[in-house]
Amino acid sequence: MAGVSSLAFYIHVPFCNSLCRFCEYTRVRSGNEAQESRYADLLARQIESWRAAHPYSLVHGLDVGGGTPTALNPRAFARVMKMAAELFREGRASDFEPSVEFSYDTITAEKMAAIGDAGFTRASTGLQVVDKRFLSEMERASPALERMLSVNAGLKAAGVVKLNLDIMYGFAGQTGKSFGATLHALEILRPEQVTLYEVRYNMNALAHAGVTRESNYTLYSHLYDSLVSMGYRARFGQNAFSRVDDEGVSSYLRHRMFDGIPYKGFGISAQSMSPVGLAYNSLKKYSGECLPEIAEIVEQDIYRLPGEELAAKYVAVALYGGRFKLSVVTNFLGADARAHFAPELDFLVSGGYLSVDDSGECRVTRKGFREYGAIAALFWSDAHKRRWLAWKEGA
Ligand code: SF4
């Protein structure tokens, strides 16, 4: 991050009450106060030593995620909120909007007050509410609707302006019908934003259970039409929906995903990206009952990457939102993206998979969304494409 003065932050809190079966995040069972306070100490040390070595002047966003940050005991949670607030005390961008993840079964009035006191204006949680059979199969708790309404009101009273609810789709056996109760709950809860997450962690395994790219496309289409009929806006293919005047994501995600700005992650497994590469902190992908004894959290897996690889990663991540900017690709490449990817862009635009406006913003079309993984692959580096083709020919 040497020389980076304008960036976004992420803080990872790995603790969760229950460890859901489908989850691919780094998580640790909550409930052990000493362990949680040790984690807060580790975080404080990592943030302090990083700040001492990396002066910065402009913060575009800060997300506290997990895990479930509110699964921490109240004292440790308040400490994390304070550490986060220190990171953005000065130099906030005009559209800065800090966001924290919570769960309805772990948040309390005390934690809501800590969120408000720290200046967080967005809060986000998962909503897979009403399909009890699904929830119990996934070893996930199901809060009552009344409890959700009261927590939402409490968060708003504490200073949160926008609430986001995540809906996951693409599990085995899910149909449009299975979302009836969840969509009904959404109508009652009326969050400002809704995010759809497609389960993609193991498409090969899911294929045996009847989940295919096409079945997920059908589910997405159903959810898209339902959300639009409720007054939410999004371009088809985008995973974030909003009923207020924004793009449905936190400022951390917006700048990270679409503007390709550098970001620094704190906490175990958190990812950071600088103009020259990627790094992951200690304990990447860890999942377990206890936090392992580590003396400090450090950047452990460090990848210095050529511009072509950083550009490919940027396009793949931005496509979650259904769009990417050629100006950002140009910055990563150090060469004009329109010229570098001329055949790819020509194929995608003439085939009706992508539209490109005068500013160089590329948007996936309805047709393109069916194949968005393949669109991302067209922006891989030449070396990566050659390796993949050689592997396919040998397979
Ligand atoms: S609560 Fe969320 S982060 Fe924790 S295990 Fe479940 S899905 Fe993963």
Side-chain angles (χ1 to χ4, degrees), residues 138-153:
M138 294 295 156
E139 291 162 33
R140 195 176 165 94
S142 82
L145 209 48
E146 302 73 46
R147 161 83 182 148
M148 295 187 202
L149 283 166
S150 125
V151 166
N152 289 359

mmCIF file with all atom_site columns, all heavy atoms in Angstrom, residues 138-153:
data_model
loop_
_atom_site.group_PDB
_atom_site.id
_atom_site.type_symbol
_atom_site.label_atom_id
_atom_site.label_alt_id
_atom_site.label_comp_id
_atom_site.label_asym_id
_atom_site.label_entity_id
_atom_site.label_seq_id
_atom_site.pdbx_PDB_ins_code
_atom_site.Cartn_x
_atom_site.Cartn_y
_atom_site.Cartn_z
_atom_site.occupancy
_atom_site.B_iso_or_equiv
_atom_site.pdbx_formal_charge
_atom_site.auth_seq_id
_atom_site.auth_comp_id
_atom_site.auth_asym_id
_atom_site.auth_atom_id
_atom_site.pdbx_PDB_model_num
ATOM 1   N N   . MET A 1 138 ? -29.873 -26.161 7.000  1.00 0.00 ? 138 MET A N   1
ATOM 2   C CA  . MET A 1 138 ? -28.619 -25.412 6.892  1.00 0.00 ? 138 MET A CA  1
ATOM 3   C C   . MET A 1 138 ? -28.048 -25.043 8.261  1.00 0.00 ? 138 MET A C   1
ATOM 4   O O   . MET A 1 138 ? -27.100 -24.267 8.356  1.00 0.00 ? 138 MET A O   1
ATOM 5   C CB  . MET A 1 138 ? -28.849 -24.129 6.069  1.00 0.00 ? 138 MET A CB  1
ATOM 6   C CG  . MET A 1 138 ? -29.185 -24.397 4.633  1.00 0.00 ? 138 MET A CG  1
ATOM 7   S SD  . MET A 1 138 ? -27.806 -25.177 3.781  1.00 0.00 ? 138 MET A SD  1
ATOM 8   C CE  . MET A 1 138 ? -28.671 -26.006 2.453  1.00 0.00 ? 138 MET A CE  1
ATOM 9   N N   . GLU A 1 139 ? -28.702 -25.531 9.320  1.00 0.00 ? 139 GLU A N   1
ATOM 10  C CA  . GLU A 1 139 ? -28.262 -25.247 10.691 1.00 0.00 ? 139 GLU A CA  1
ATOM 11  C C   . GLU A 1 139 ? -28.196 -23.743 10.938 1.00 0.00 ? 139 GLU A C   1
ATOM 12  O O   . GLU A 1 139 ? -27.216 -23.197 11.426 1.00 0.00 ? 139 GLU A O   1
ATOM 13  C CB  . GLU A 1 139 ? -26.924 -25.919 10.968 1.00 0.00 ? 139 GLU A CB  1
ATOM 14  C CG  . GLU A 1 139 ? -27.062 -27.439 11.033 1.00 0.00 ? 139 GLU A CG  1
ATOM 15  C CD  . GLU A 1 139 ? -25.749 -28.161 10.869 1.00 0.00 ? 139 GLU A CD  1
ATOM 16  O OE1 . GLU A 1 139 ? -24.735 -27.622 11.305 1.00 0.00 ? 139 GLU A OE1 1
ATOM 17  O OE2 . GLU A 1 139 ? -25.752 -29.267 10.302 1.00 0.00 ? 139 GLU A OE2 1
ATOM 18  N N   . ARG A 1 140 ? -29.243 -23.059 10.533 1.00 0.00 ? 140 ARG A N   1
ATOM 19  C CA  . ARG A 1 140 ? -29.291 -21.598 10.629 1.00 0.00 ? 140 ARG A CA  1
ATOM 20  C C   . ARG A 1 140 ? -30.532 -21.198 11.407 1.00 0.00 ? 140 ARG A C   1
ATOM 21  O O   . ARG A 1 140 ? -31.593 -21.796 11.248 1.00 0.00 ? 140 ARG A O   1
ATOM 22  C CB  . ARG A 1 140 ? -29.356 -21.039 9.206  1.00 0.00 ? 140 ARG A CB  1
ATOM 23  C CG  . ARG A 1 140 ? -29.067 -19.570 9.103  1.00 0.00 ? 140 ARG A CG  1
ATOM 24  C CD  . ARG A 1 140 ? -29.059 -19.173 7.625  1.00 0.00 ? 140 ARG A CD  1
ATOM 25  N NE  . ARG A 1 140 ? -29.140 -17.737 7.494  1.00 0.00 ? 140 ARG A NE  1
ATOM 26  C CZ  . ARG A 1 140 ? -28.098 -16.936 7.374  1.00 0.00 ? 140 ARG A CZ  1
ATOM 27  N NH1 . ARG A 1 140 ? -26.900 -17.430 7.369  1.00 0.00 ? 140 ARG A NH1 1
ATOM 28  N NH2 . ARG A 1 140 ? -28.259 -15.645 7.265  1.00 0.00 ? 140 ARG A NH2 1
ATOM 29  N N   . ALA A 1 141 ? -30.406 -20.165 12.251 1.00 0.00 ? 141 ALA A N   1
ATOM 30  C CA  . ALA A 1 141 ? -31.530 -19.734 13.087 1.00 0.00 ? 141 ALA A CA  1
ATOM 31  C C   . ALA A 1 141 ? -32.558 -18.965 12.269 1.00 0.00 ? 141 ALA A C   1
ATOM 32  O O   . ALA A 1 141 ? -32.240 -18.365 11.257 1.00 0.00 ? 141 ALA A O   1
ATOM 33  C CB  . ALA A 1 141 ? -31.007 -18.838 14.204 1.00 0.00 ? 141 ALA A CB  1
ATOM 34  N N   . SER A 1 142 ? -33.831 -18.997 12.701 1.00 0.00 ? 142 SER A N   1
ATOM 35  C CA  . SER A 1 142 ? -34.853 -18.251 11.974 1.00 0.00 ? 142 SER A CA  1
ATOM 36  C C   . SER A 1 142 ? -35.593 -17.303 12.912 1.00 0.00 ? 142 SER A C   1
ATOM 37  O O   . SER A 1 142 ? -36.358 -17.709 13.758 1.00 0.00 ? 142 SER A O   1
ATOM 38  C CB  . SER A 1 142 ? -35.838 -19.218 11.318 1.00 0.00 ? 142 SER A CB  1
ATOM 39  O OG  . SER A 1 142 ? -36.794 -19.657 12.213 1.00 0.00 ? 142 SER A OG  1
ATOM 40  N N   . PRO A 1 143 ? -35.343 -16.014 12.795 1.00 0.00 ? 143 PRO A N   1
ATOM 41  C CA  . PRO A 1 143 ? -35.978 -15.060 13.688 1.00 0.00 ? 143 PRO A CA  1
ATOM 42  C C   . PRO A 1 143 ? -37.421 -14.771 13.271 1.00 0.00 ? 143 PRO A C   1
ATOM 43  O O   . PRO A 1 143 ? -37.772 -14.917 12.103 1.00 0.00 ? 143 PRO A O   1
ATOM 44  C CB  . PRO A 1 143 ? -35.130 -13.799 13.511 1.00 0.00 ? 143 PRO A CB  1
ATOM 45  C CG  . PRO A 1 143 ? -34.523 -13.936 12.154 1.00 0.00 ? 143 PRO A CG  1
ATOM 46  C CD  . PRO A 1 143 ? -34.435 -15.386 11.837 1.00 0.00 ? 143 PRO A CD  1
ATOM 47  N N   . ALA A 1 144 ? -38.249 -14.343 14.214 1.00 0.00 ? 144 ALA A N   1
ATOM 48  C CA  . ALA A 1 144 ? -39.636 -14.030 13.892 1.00 0.00 ? 144 ALA A CA  1
ATOM 49  C C   . ALA A 1 144 ? -39.710 -12.654 13.243 1.00 0.00 ? 144 ALA A C   1
ATOM 50  O O   . ALA A 1 144 ? -38.868 -11.786 13.494 1.00 0.00 ? 144 ALA A O   1
ATOM 51  C CB  . ALA A 1 144 ? -40.455 -14.045 15.172 1.00 0.00 ? 144 ALA A CB  1
ATOM 52  N N   . LEU A 1 145 ? -40.749 -12.493 12.441 1.00 0.00 ? 145 LEU A N   1
ATOM 53  C CA  . LEU A 1 145 ? -40.915 -11.247 11.703 1.00 0.00 ? 145 LEU A CA  1
ATOM 54  C C   . LEU A 1 145 ? -41.058 -10.036 12.637 1.00 0.00 ? 145 LEU A C   1
ATOM 55  O O   . LEU A 1 145 ? -40.524 -8.961  12.371 1.00 0.00 ? 145 LEU A O   1
ATOM 56  C CB  . LEU A 1 145 ? -42.159 -11.383 10.805 1.00 0.00 ? 145 LEU A CB  1
ATOM 57  C CG  . LEU A 1 145 ? -42.188 -10.586 9.522  1.00 0.00 ? 145 LEU A CG  1
ATOM 58  C CD1 . LEU A 1 145 ? -40.910 -10.714 8.715  1.00 0.00 ? 145 LEU A CD1 1
ATOM 59  C CD2 . LEU A 1 145 ? -43.380 -11.027 8.679  1.00 0.00 ? 145 LEU A CD2 1
ATOM 60  N N   . GLU A 1 146 ? -41.769 -10.237 13.747 1.00 0.00 ? 146 GLU A N   1
ATOM 61  C CA  . GLU A 1 146 ? -41.957 -9.116  14.692 1.00 0.00 ? 146 GLU A CA  1
ATOM 62  C C   . GLU A 1 146 ? -40.602 -8.659  15.236 1.00 0.00 ? 146 GLU A C   1
ATOM 63  O O   . GLU A 1 146 ? -40.341 -7.471  15.416 1.00 0.00 ? 146 GLU A O   1
ATOM 64  C CB  . GLU A 1 146 ? -42.841 -9.507  15.898 1.00 0.00 ? 146 GLU A CB  1
ATOM 65  C CG  . GLU A 1 146 ? -44.225 -10.016 15.571 1.00 0.00 ? 146 GLU A CG  1
ATOM 66  C CD  . GLU A 1 146 ? -44.193 -11.420 14.981 1.00 0.00 ? 146 GLU A CD  1
ATOM 67  O OE1 . GLU A 1 146 ? -43.475 -12.270 15.534 1.00 0.00 ? 146 GLU A OE1 1
ATOM 68  O OE2 . GLU A 1 146 ? -44.870 -11.650 13.956 1.00 0.00 ? 146 GLU A OE2 1
ATOM 69  N N   . ARG A 1 147 ? -39.753 -9.632  15.526 1.00 0.00 ? 147 ARG A N   1
ATOM 70  C CA  . ARG A 1 147 ? -38.425 -9.302  16.042 1.00 0.00 ? 147 ARG A CA  1
ATOM 71  C C   . ARG A 1 147 ? -37.656 -8.496  14.987 1.00 0.00 ? 147 ARG A C   1
ATOM 72  O O   . ARG A 1 147 ? -36.978 -7.522  15.292 1.00 0.00 ? 147 ARG A O   1
ATOM 73  C CB  . ARG A 1 147 ? -37.703 -10.618 16.381 1.00 0.00 ? 147 ARG A CB  1
ATOM 74  C CG  . ARG A 1 147 ? -36.201 -10.548 16.508 1.00 0.00 ? 147 ARG A CG  1
ATOM 75  C CD  . ARG A 1 147 ? -35.743 -10.085 17.863 1.00 0.00 ? 147 ARG A CD  1
ATOM 76  N NE  . ARG A 1 147 ? -34.291 -9.993  17.920 1.00 0.00 ? 147 ARG A NE  1
ATOM 77  C CZ  . ARG A 1 147 ? -33.638 -9.109  18.649 1.00 0.00 ? 147 ARG A CZ  1
ATOM 78  N NH1 . ARG A 1 147 ? -34.288 -8.247  19.393 1.00 0.00 ? 147 ARG A NH1 1
ATOM 79  N NH2 . ARG A 1 147 ? -32.334 -9.089  18.660 1.00 0.00 ? 147 ARG A NH2 1
ATOM 80  N N   . MET A 1 148 ? -37.765 -8.894  13.726 1.00 0.00 ? 148 MET A N   1
ATOM 81  C CA  . MET A 1 148 ? -37.050 -8.168  12.659 1.00 0.00 ? 148 MET A CA  1
ATOM 82  C C   . MET A 1 148 ? -37.555 -6.735  12.562 1.00 0.00 ? 148 MET A C   1
ATOM 83  O O   . MET A 1 148 ? -36.759 -5.800  12.424 1.00 0.00 ? 148 MET A O   1
ATOM 84  C CB  . MET A 1 148 ? -37.278 -8.858  11.319 1.00 0.00 ? 148 MET A CB  1
ATOM 85  C CG  . MET A 1 148 ? -36.701 -10.226 11.237 1.00 0.00 ? 148 MET A CG  1
ATOM 86  S SD  . MET A 1 148 ? -36.873 -10.792 9.550  1.00 0.00 ? 148 MET A SD  1
ATOM 87  C CE  . MET A 1 148 ? -36.782 -12.508 9.796  1.00 0.00 ? 148 MET A CE  1
ATOM 88  N N   . LEU A 1 149 ? -38.860 -6.557  12.634 1.00 0.00 ? 149 LEU A N   1
ATOM 89  C CA  . LEU A 1 149 ? -39.417 -5.202  12.538 1.00 0.00 ? 149 LEU A CA  1
ATOM 90  C C   . LEU A 1 149 ? -38.916 -4.337  13.687 1.00 0.00 ? 149 LEU A C   1
ATOM 91  O O   . LEU A 1 149 ? -38.550 -3.168  13.496 1.00 0.00 ? 149 LEU A O   1
ATOM 92  C CB  . LEU A 1 149 ? -40.949 -5.257  12.551 1.00 0.00 ? 149 LEU A CB  1
ATOM 93  C CG  . LEU A 1 149 ? -41.583 -5.689  11.220 1.00 0.00 ? 149 LEU A CG  1
ATOM 94  C CD1 . LEU A 1 149 ? -43.050 -6.041  11.414 1.00 0.00 ? 149 LEU A CD1 1
ATOM 95  C CD2 . LEU A 1 149 ? -41.437 -4.594  10.163 1.00 0.00 ? 149 LEU A CD2 1
ATOM 96  N N   . SER A 1 150 ? -38.854 -4.925  14.873 1.00 0.00 ? 150 SER A N   1
ATOM 97  C CA  . SER A 1 150 ? -38.439 -4.123  16.018 1.00 0.00 ? 150 SER A CA  1
ATOM 98  C C   . SER A 1 150 ? -36.941 -3.803  15.937 1.00 0.00 ? 150 SER A C   1
ATOM 99  O O   . SER A 1 150 ? -36.520 -2.689  16.250 1.00 0.00 ? 150 SER A O   1
ATOM 100 C CB  . SER A 1 150 ? -38.872 -4.841  17.303 1.00 0.00 ? 150 SER A CB  1
ATOM 101 O OG  . SER A 1 150 ? -37.810 -5.041  18.147 1.00 0.00 ? 150 SER A OG  1
ATOM 102 N N   . VAL A 1 151 ? -36.114 -4.751  15.472 1.00 0.00 ? 151 VAL A N   1
ATOM 103 C CA  . VAL A 1 151 ? -34.677 -4.462  15.305 1.00 0.00 ? 151 VAL A CA  1
ATOM 104 C C   . VAL A 1 151 ? -34.481 -3.385  14.238 1.00 0.00 ? 151 VAL A C   1
ATOM 105 O O   . VAL A 1 151 ? -33.700 -2.439  14.416 1.00 0.00 ? 151 VAL A O   1
ATOM 106 C CB  . VAL A 1 151 ? -33.902 -5.749  14.930 1.00 0.00 ? 151 VAL A CB  1
ATOM 107 C CG1 . VAL A 1 151 ? -32.500 -5.419  14.421 1.00 0.00 ? 151 VAL A CG1 1
ATOM 108 C CG2 . VAL A 1 151 ? -33.811 -6.691  16.119 1.00 0.00 ? 151 VAL A CG2 1
ATOM 109 N N   . ASN A 1 152 ? -35.215 -3.510  13.123 1.00 0.00 ? 152 ASN A N   1
ATOM 110 C CA  . ASN A 1 152 ? -35.067 -2.505  12.057 1.00 0.00 ? 152 ASN A CA  1
ATOM 111 C C   . ASN A 1 152 ? -35.382 -1.110  12.590 1.00 0.00 ? 152 ASN A C   1
ATOM 112 O O   . ASN A 1 152 ? -34.668 -0.145  12.307 1.00 0.00 ? 152 ASN A O   1
ATOM 113 C CB  . ASN A 1 152 ? -35.995 -2.827  10.877 1.00 0.00 ? 152 ASN A CB  1
ATOM 114 C CG  . ASN A 1 152 ? -35.522 -4.056  10.109 1.00 0.00 ? 152 ASN A CG  1
ATOM 115 O OD1 . ASN A 1 152 ? -34.498 -4.647  10.449 1.00 0.00 ? 152 ASN A OD1 1
ATOM 116 N ND2 . ASN A 1 152 ? -36.259 -4.449  9.101  1.00 0.00 ? 152 ASN A ND2 1
ATOM 117 N N   . ALA A 1 153 ? -36.455 -1.017  13.386 1.00 0.00 ? 153 ALA A N   1
ATOM 118 C CA  . ALA A 1 153 ? -36.829 0.292   13.949 1.00 0.00 ? 153 ALA A CA  1
ATOM 119 C C   . ALA A 1 153 ? -35.735 0.773   14.903 1.00 0.00 ? 153 ALA A C   1
ATOM 120 O O   . ALA A 1 153 ? -35.374 1.958   14.914 1.00 0.00 ? 153 ALA A O   1
ATOM 121 C CB  . ALA A 1 153 ? -38.167 0.175   14.667 1.00 0.00 ? 153 ALA A CB  1
#
